[in-house]
């Protein structure tokens, strides 16, 4: 039977048969909870359990000198309490041991506080949904899979968006005229997305080489395919660069900001990075479709926020390298695509 775990009270229970990814009120506290297939839930639980064991092993430093200074250790020399040095307090987020693709450590008010304060000093109200940076789900993994082979998967993405816009329940993917390598990559992606509940149903007719996909009706999944996947991909790429550089940071996704004149705006991805020169804001707008009519809006927003052009980035999935370079020369903004995003962030951080 399907199973759910309440993120509010931790209650776990089976439920009546229903589509994976659906929401059901927790029987203990009525908080909306996501339904999973039992086998799938057990697999993810096992993955997190063994990941936790690996983190515990990594934290066991085995400091012999600390053991000798412990009066409870057999054979240890007697020492006054003043001679024992207290262990240093651990950082709020230990980046070296943090699995960026499977953590809720970033989804806290404390992690968002520096960004909130940065906006406050500019008389801007920032509203955060902390779950937008919770990577314990599968949206970040799915986004990385799409980004790693976007040239092949872009047509499938467009067909999914078209189906959602026209209220179609599913689509058929014909692979007869596709190379064996590409067909295998497409079917692997579709099976993975189905196992992660991003599709409601997956069926492959091998003789005809046709994949039948039934779309998931959950709002969060539709938002993912309609553009949210790029926000997740950008967030993961940013986090990986920050971890590699061992930078302290505050990050957020889907930030709603209210200016003093009550203008509203939503920021796709933003981070406040601690550098030698102080706090460096990095703003990233994510675009999967037409955005040229919004360039003037971005220029005004950059000026209002006081962010230098190098740190105000427009990541557009459909831009060529030549187009991105041309737009950078024309406007006081930085334009990148999926291929140039990592290099830009690496140079910036």
């Amino acid at each position: 039977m399907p199973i759910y775990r309440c993120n509010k009270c931790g209650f776990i229970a089976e439920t009546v048969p229903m589509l994976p990814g659906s929401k059901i009120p927790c029987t203990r506290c009525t908080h909306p909870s996501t339904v999973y297939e039992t086998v799938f839930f057990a697999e993810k639980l096992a993955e997190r359990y063994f990941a936790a064991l690996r983190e515990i092993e990594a934290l066991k430093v085995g400091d012999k000198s600390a053991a000798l200074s412990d009066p409870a250790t057999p054979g240890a020399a007697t020492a006054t309490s003043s001679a024992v040095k207290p262990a240093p307090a651990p950082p709020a987020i230990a980046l070296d041991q943090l699995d960026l693709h499977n953590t809720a450590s970033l989804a806290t008010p404390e992690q968002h506080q520096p960004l909130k304060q940065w906006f406050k000093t500019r008389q801007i109200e920032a509203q955060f949904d902390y779950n937008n940076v919770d990577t314990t789900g599968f949206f970040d993994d799915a986004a990385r899979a799409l980004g790693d082979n976007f040239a092949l998967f872009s047509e499938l993405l467009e067909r999914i968006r078209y189906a959602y816009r026209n209220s179609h329940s599913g689509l058929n993917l014909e692979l007869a005229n596709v190379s064996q390598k590409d067909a295998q990559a497409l079917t692997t992606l579709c099976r993975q997305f189905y196992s992660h509940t991003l599709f409601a149903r997956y069926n492959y007719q091998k003789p005809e080489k046709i994949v039948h996909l039934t779309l998931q009706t959950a709002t969060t999944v539709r938002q993912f395919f309609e553009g949210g996947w790029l926000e997740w991909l950008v967030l993961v790429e940013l986090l990986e660069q920050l971890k590699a550089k061992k930078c302290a940071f505050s990050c957020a996704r889907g930030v709603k900001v209210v200016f003093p004149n009550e203008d509203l705006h939503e920021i796709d991805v933003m981070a406040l990075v601690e550098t030698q020169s102080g706090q460096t804001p990095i703003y990233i707008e994510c675009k999967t479709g037409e955005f040229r009519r919004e360039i003037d809006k971005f220029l005004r927003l950059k000026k209002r926020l006081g962010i230098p052009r190098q740190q105000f980035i427009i990541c557009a999935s459909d831009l060529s390298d030549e187009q991105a370079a041309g737009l950078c020369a024309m406007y006081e903004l930085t334009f990148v695509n999926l291929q140039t995003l990592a290099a830009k962030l690496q140079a910036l951080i």
Side-chain angles (χ1 to χ4, degrees), residues 131-331:
N131 290 327
N132 283 347
V133 291
D134 184 343
T135 63
T136 57
F138 303 105
F139 287 130
D140 59 309
D141 301 315
R144 173 59 78 188
L146 290 171
D148 286 345
N149 200 351
F150 182 70
L152 176 61
F153 299 146
S154 58
E155 183 180 351
L156 173 61
L157 264 175
E158 182 54 40
R159 291 192 59 189
I160 293 172
R161 288 197 294 262
Y162 178 86
Y164 273 121
R165 287 195 301 268
N166 291 274
S167 301
H168 297 168
S169 61
L171 58 95
N172 296 329
L173 189 62
E174 298 181 3
L175 304 178
N177 297 322
V178 178
S179 70
Q180 186 176 356
K181 180 180 178 181
D182 288 349
Q184 184 177 0
L186 285 163
T187 54
T188 299
L189 181 82
C190 291
R191 284 198 307 270
Q192 178 186 347
F193 280 15
Y194 172 66
S195 70
H196 291 172
T197 71
L198 297 181
F199 293 135
R201 181 166 297 180
Y202 162 86
N203 181 48
Y204 180 46
Q205 290 182 220
K206 191 172 182 179
E208 296 82 5
K209 294 185 178 180
I210 298 177
V211 175
H212 301 281
L213 298 173
T214 302
L215 298 181
Q216 180 64 264
T217 57
T219 301
T220 52
V221 174
R222 176 169 182 164
Q223 291 172 343
F224 174 83
F225 283 117
E226 290 182 338
W229 68 269
L230 184 56
E231 294 181 16
W232 278 107
L233 179 61
V234 166
L235 175 67
V236 169
E237 186 62 55
L238 177 61
L239 292 175
E240 289 177 350
Q241 295 292 339
L242 291 168
K243 181 178 180 179
K245 296 292 185 68
K246 299 181 180 180
C247 295
F249 64 89
S250 173
C251 69
R253 187 177 71 86
V255 187
K256 292 180 173 61
V257 294
V258 184
F259 289 90
N261 64 351
E262 298 186 358
D263 281 354
L264 305 177
H265 189 80
E266 182 169 330
I267 300 173
D268 292 336
V269 177
M270 189 165 179
L272 192 64
V273 185
E274 293 290 341
T275 63
Q276 293 181 349
S277 58
Q279 293 181 326
T280 300
I282 298 176
Y283 177 111
I284 309 177
E285 191 76 24
C286 305
K287 292 297 176 184
T288 58
E290 177 58 46
F291 66 89
R292 290 160 181 80
R293 63 180 179 273
E294 299 182 87
I295 289 178
D296 188 53
K297 180 186 74 173
F298 296 144
L299 289 168
R300 293 195 305 269
L301 183 61
K302 179 180 75 72
K303 184 177 181 180
R304 295 178 78 174
L305 294 174
I307 298 178
R309 65 178 297 175
Q310 296 84 0
Q311 297 154 218
F312 198 103
I313 302 171
I314 312 297
C315 181
S317 60
D318 298 331
L319 277 183
S320 66
D321 292 352
E322 184 180 0
Q323 288 173 324
L327 291 172
C328 287
M330 293 174 63
Y331 301 101

